[in-house]
Amino acid sequence: MSFEHLFSPHKIRGLELRNRIFSSSHQTILARNWCPSEEMAAYHEARAAGGAGLIVMESASTWGEGAFEPCYLDANHDACIPGFKRVADVVHRHDCGIFGQISNSGRLAGGYDGLLSVPNAPSTVPDYRFHAMPRAMPTEDVWRLIEAYAQSARRMVEAGLDGIELAASHGLQLAQFLSPDVNRREDEFGGTEERRFRFIREVVTAVRKIIGPEPVIGIRISANEDEPTGLDTQTVLDACRRMDDLADLDYLSVVMGSMAGLGSSTHVVPAMSFEHAYTAPHAAKIKDVFSRSVFVTGRINQPQQAEQILAQGQADMCGMTRAMIADPQMPNKARLGKLDDIRACIGCNQACIGHYFQGVPISCIQNPLSGRELALGVHPGTGTRRYILVAGGGPGGMKAAAVAAERGHRVVLCEKSGQLGGQVLLAQTLPGRREFGGLVENLNHEMQLAGVDVRLLTSVNSALLDEEKPDAIIIATGALPFTCDAEITQDTHAVEAWQILRGEASTGNSVVVADWRCDWIGVGLAEKLALDGCRVTLAVAGVHAGQNLQVYVRDNWAGKLHRLGVEVIPYARLYSADGSTAYFHHMAHGDPIICEDMDTLVLAQGHQPVTTLENALRGRNLEVHLVGDCLSPRTAEEAIYEGMMAARQV
Ligand SMILES: Cc1cc2nc3c(=O)[nH]c(=O)nc-3n(C[C@H](O)[C@H](O)[C@H](O)COP(=O)(O)O)c2cc1C
Ligand code: SF4
């Protein structure tokens, strides 16, 4: 594929971008003291060096310290200028443009130091996600806020950023002024469509006045917020027509959804259950009413998709954000035609937005170097070439093998089954999770490029080690289903989750899934069995189904289970099963929960480590490293990280 559109330059105002790929604004939790840090500069430099045409930095608020934790950016004070300058300088070194994003959350709550901040909003209309009751800003505060937007823009431009993006997307403050349901003001900023638009108009005018004619100004907007009090398609199109009249405004950047609701927020970082590039037709509609540049973002994870969007004229620039979190070199690889080498994002949301919700720096399950650029840098080369044997071909073993070989070691990976992938092979069979299998394809390709010798149907034991005599072994033998203490009588039809996923067991019509982990397996099995026509009860040992999943993934699944009529019983710890009855304890008060008329009990009770090889090697004079589930069953993220770290040590 020639990518004639993707790698053509794009001019916005006076700025020429080298190609049409941009990294859209995303929180990294790499801000320190509300300012861009060295870690943040290194993070963005990696994407600029990887060939991105433009980077839009994460949103910075204009409210001042005390509104948010210091791991978020705040552009309300001049002290942020050196940090922004540091990022601008390193990004510019690689011929990449850089914009700052200014955004206030308005009615959506923030907080600092354990205290909730005041949600300053157009009106006292609460949302259904953050449960904050907002303060309707007095008119003079609205004018002060407009000035705060302008001053923040000035600081960013003084720091050397090429442009300013104003976030009117995802139900944020600028969008709240546009919405007739959220903005119920009767002053000059509400009451009619024109007056609801006035806030945006005034902000754009004030920003242009202070930053002068050269820097770019854009607005990010959701084409549809998909939320009861949010902006619908028509309201957005009408607003975009008005934006077209603002000569100071250079581009619109299109997304979907709103942070104000549980369902609508799943669009903010759409997981793998969303179609690739599903936002592009919406951007095309906005392109019909806005005559300058239109950007689009949303599950565009391969250059071929981006090329098609551009070729069809649906947008002028493509946001490929997680695509470059997973593989910062994606643009360079595409330009050089090395498409197979791209480590495609699989839309799992685990370490990028997942880390955000845990309040820890961004990363990627497939690429643990992401977000750790400064701490880890590139993999160190090896002085002496050693023979490294890896036992186990799941994600942890595969990553360990790839990195050890990339460093220059001779690496043999032995997998006792006939297929690489470990538990990923099961996980990818859950409904809507096929893309998770991309993890294995990507790791396999990494191993091939690095020259790993893969031996399938090969168990590692003492005899093999005597023969092979490796210098070190990395054990990644994974886990097996956990046998829990519940007393289950012979006359109960009980099957393991893995048996269903492997197609080794079938169920009766009425199924109870006993879910200990509260992650993908329980909700995924419940969906699969309900789709197969079963009456499903999902009894979870947690406060709700999918408790331990990234919230956008969880909420997307909650909607599906509800539609399919799956009954969810929270706080349910499996105690026993007797014939067609399963008994649970309510985890808060200990009372019994009884599920009757059950044909099959599906056990999703977690996993236990496989330690056979570790035990067999105890006392042997051999360097041993353990990674992933054979230490303690967790997720692919830990397995891959530990595999990489072990490979950096051998
Ligand atoms: C960790 C993370 C944080 C995000 N924070 C922001 C943000 O601060 N402002 C914003 O407009 N979008 C934010 N987003 C949304 C992204 O800009 C982008 O729209 C989303 O990731 C979908 O694009 P993709 O499929 O190319 O990743 C965030 C996304 C991620 C993954
Ligand atoms: S963690 Fe998952 S969704 Fe996030 S960038 Fe990596 S592969 Fe993509």
Side-chain angles (χ1 to χ4, degrees):
M1 199 162 189
S2 69
F3 297 120
E4 89 187 75
H5 298 89
L6 194 59
F7 290 102
S8 65
H10 185 57
K11 197 159 183 188
I12 312 182
R13 204 161 269 263
L15 180 73
E16 183 161 292
L17 301 171
R18 62 177 152 175
N19 62 43
R20 309 300 183 103
I21 300 170
F22 75 104
S23 170
S24 66
S25 174
H26 58 286
Q27 301 287 346
T28 58
I29 313 288
L30 292 172
R32 297 292 171 258
N33 290 325
W34 298 278
C35 297
S37 63
E38 273 182 57
E39 287 86 351
M40 191 185 286
Y43 173 80
H44 289 305
E45 181 169 16
R47 274 90 207 148
L54 169 70
I55 287 169
V56 183
M57 287 181 70
E58 65 201 78
S59 62
S61 88
T62 69
W63 277 114
E65 289 102 344
F68 289 97
E69 296 295 337
C71 58
Y72 304 115
L73 292 181
D74 182 351
N76 195 44
H77 49 93
D78 284 358
C80 70
I81 296 175
F84 277 110
K85 184 170 183 327
R86 178 191 288 135
V87 182
D89 288 349
V90 296
V91 166
H92 281 152
R93 239 182 253 157
H94 300 277
D95 189 23
C96 179
I98 181 153
F99 297 168
Q101 189 191 61
I102 305 176
S103 134
N104 286 311
S105 49
R107 68 175 177 150
L108 312 176
Y112 170 52
D113 204 19
L115 303 169
L116 292 174
S117 48
V118 176
N120 287 292
S123 308
T124 304
V125 178
D127 74 300
Y128 274 80
R129 180 157 169 240
F130 294 92
H131 304 277
M133 192 56 74
R135 167 181 153 86
M137 279 184 288
T139 308
E140 55 275 22
D141 278 12
V142 178
W143 285 107
R144 265 201 292 274
L145 181 61
I146 291 165
E147 178 58 16
Y149 271 93
Q151 289 296 337
S152 297
R154 170 193 57 82
R155 293 181 186 103
M156 290 175 174
V157 168
E158 267 180 42
L161 303 193
D162 304 305
I164 303 298
E165 179 171 286
L166 304 164
S169 44
H170 300 141
L172 293 162
Q173 194 179 47
L174 283 161
Q176 291 162 26
F177 272 88
L178 284 180
S179 163
D181 291 313
V182 181
N183 178 351
R184 304 202 184 151
R185 304 179 71 87
E186 287 173 359
D187 62 0
E188 61 263 43
F189 294 104
T192 65
E193 197 183 314
E194 169 54 27
R195 291 211 296 261
R196 284 191 293 273
F197 185 73
R198 180 163 184 188
F199 185 62
I200 285 188
R201 181 196 300 283
E202 296 289 350
V203 170
V204 171
T205 306
V207 168
R208 176 59 71 207
K209 190 166 168 217
I210 204 159
I211 65 176
E214 280 178 21
V216 173
I217 301 179
I219 286 183
R220 200 167 208 212
I221 189 146
S222 294
N224 186 319
E225 290 189 349
D226 193 16
E227 204 274 328
T229 56
L231 301 171
D232 60 19
T233 305
Q234 198 49 55
T235 311
V236 172
L237 287 174
D238 291 344
C240 292
R241 273 192 200 95
R242 288 177 188 275
M243 291 181 200
D244 195 41
D245 294 337
L246 303 181
D248 289 326
L249 184 65
D250 304 305
Y251 75 89
L252 292 182
S253 183
V254 179
V255 284
M256 296 283 284
S258 163
M259 285 164 54
L262 292 175
S264 58
S265 59
T266 64
H267 292 281
V268 177
V269 187
M272 67 178 80
S273 54
F274 285 83
E275 292 286 316
H276 290 288
Y278 77 107
T279 44
H282 300 273
K285 279 193 199 150
I286 288 183
K287 211 164 159 36
D288 286 342
V289 299
F290 187 79
S291 56
R292 293 177 294 284
S293 296
V294 172
F295 298 10
V296 67
T297 308
R299 287 273 285 144
I300 308 169
N301 75 339
Q302 289 278 21
Q304 297 90 325
Q305 294 154 3
E307 176 66 19
Q308 200 179 346
I309 290 168
L310 298 166
Q312 290 176 356
Q314 291 174 304
D316 303 295
M317 294 283 295
C318 288
M320 302 185 74
T321 306
R322 282 169 296 171
M324 288 186 281
I325 299 174
D327 191 346
Q329 285 289 331
M330 180 276 295
N332 283 346
K333 289 176 182 174
R335 191 171 44 82
L336 298 171
K338 296 181 173 178
L339 296 181
D340 289 344
D341 294 359
I342 293 172
R343 185 191 300 113
C345 164
I346 55 173
C348 68
N349 277 12
Q350 281 175 242
C352 48
I353 193 70
H355 279 201
Y356 169 78
F357 280 98
Q358 293 167 36
V360 298
I362 193 161
S363 195
C364 170
I365 64 163
Q366 303 192 80
N367 177 19
L369 292 179
S370 200
R372 299 185 175 102
E373 287 79 5
L374 203 60
L376 295 180
V378 293
H379 300 313
T382 172
T384 325
R385 183 172 156 89
R386 304 173 78 204
Y387 175 10
I388 311 298
L389 189 84
V390 179
M398 292 173 86
K399 189 70 177 186
V403 173
E406 200 184 311
R407 290 186 57 216
H409 292 307
R410 175 188 167 216
V411 181
V412 172
L413 180 144
C414 298
E415 163 56 40
K416 79 172 178 356
S417 77
Q419 227 182 330
L420 292 169
Q423 287 177 51
V424 176
L425 299 175
L426 297 178
Q428 68 180 356
T429 65
L430 292 169
R433 301 288 295 176
R434 197 180 48 80
E435 207 170 335
F436 199 65
L439 191 74
V440 179
E441 276 169 46
N442 291 336
L443 285 169
N444 205 2
H445 193 73
E446 280 180 43
M447 288 203 300
Q448 280 170 15
L449 280 181
V452 175
D453 175 0
V454 175
R455 299 184 191 165
L456 298 177
L457 300 170
T458 308
S459 289
V460 178
N461 49 33
S462 296
L464 183 120
L465 291 173
D466 289 342
E467 205 175 304
E468 293 288 330
K469 296 185 181 51
D471 297 308
I473 180 166
I474 298 176
I475 302 181
T477 44
L480 287 170
F482 179 66
T483 311
C484 68
D485 289 340
E487 289 172 27
I488 299 171
T489 57
Q490 288 291 334
D491 57 347
T492 298
H493 183 228
V495 296
E496 284 292 344
W498 285 21
Q499 289 177 287
I500 307 258
L501 296 177
R502 287 192 174 128
E504 292 167 358
S506 55
T507 69
N509 182 48
S510 173
V511 183
V512 174
V513 179
D515 175 16
W516 171 78
R517 258 171 72 127
C518 302
D519 63 3
W520 308 269
I521 300 179
V523 287
L525 271 174
E527 183 187 356
K528 175 182 161 55
L529 294 168
L531 286 169
D532 289 349
C534 298
R535 184 159 57 81
V536 181
T537 300
L538 174 61
V540 296
V543 298
H544 46 69
Q547 173 191 280
N548 297 329
L549 297 179
Q550 192 277 319
V551 296
Y552 299 150
V553 175
R554 175 199 71 192
D555 293 338
N556 191 273
W557 234 317
K560 287 185 193 166
L561 295 187
H562 181 75
R563 271 205 185 134
L564 288 166
V566 171
E567 183 195 3
V568 176
I569 304 179
Y571 291 95
R573 173 177 174 166
L574 182 63
Y575 180 68
S576 64
D578 180 357
S580 60
T581 307
Y583 300 90
F584 294 85
H585 275 169
H586 191 283
M587 291 163 64
H589 54 51
D591 286 359
I593 302 169
I594 300 172
C595 297
E596 294 175 312
D597 299 327
M598 166 187 81
D599 296 324
T600 305
L601 175 65
V602 177
L603 296 165
Q605 293 291 300
H607 309 128
Q608 54 199 3
V610 174
T611 54
T612 337
L613 184 58
E614 179 197 357
N615 295 338
L617 298 190
R618 206 156 278 143
R620 194 181 177 113
N621 185 21
L622 177 63
E623 181 183 326
V624 176
H625 300 261
L626 299 165
V627 305
D629 277 12
C630 71
L631 277 168
S632 163
R634 288 154 293 158
T635 73
E637 179 180 0
E638 289 81 16
I640 290 172
Y641 174 83
E642 288 166 7
M644 180 190 84
M645 293 309 279
R648 286 165 67 101
Q649 285 159 22
V650 290

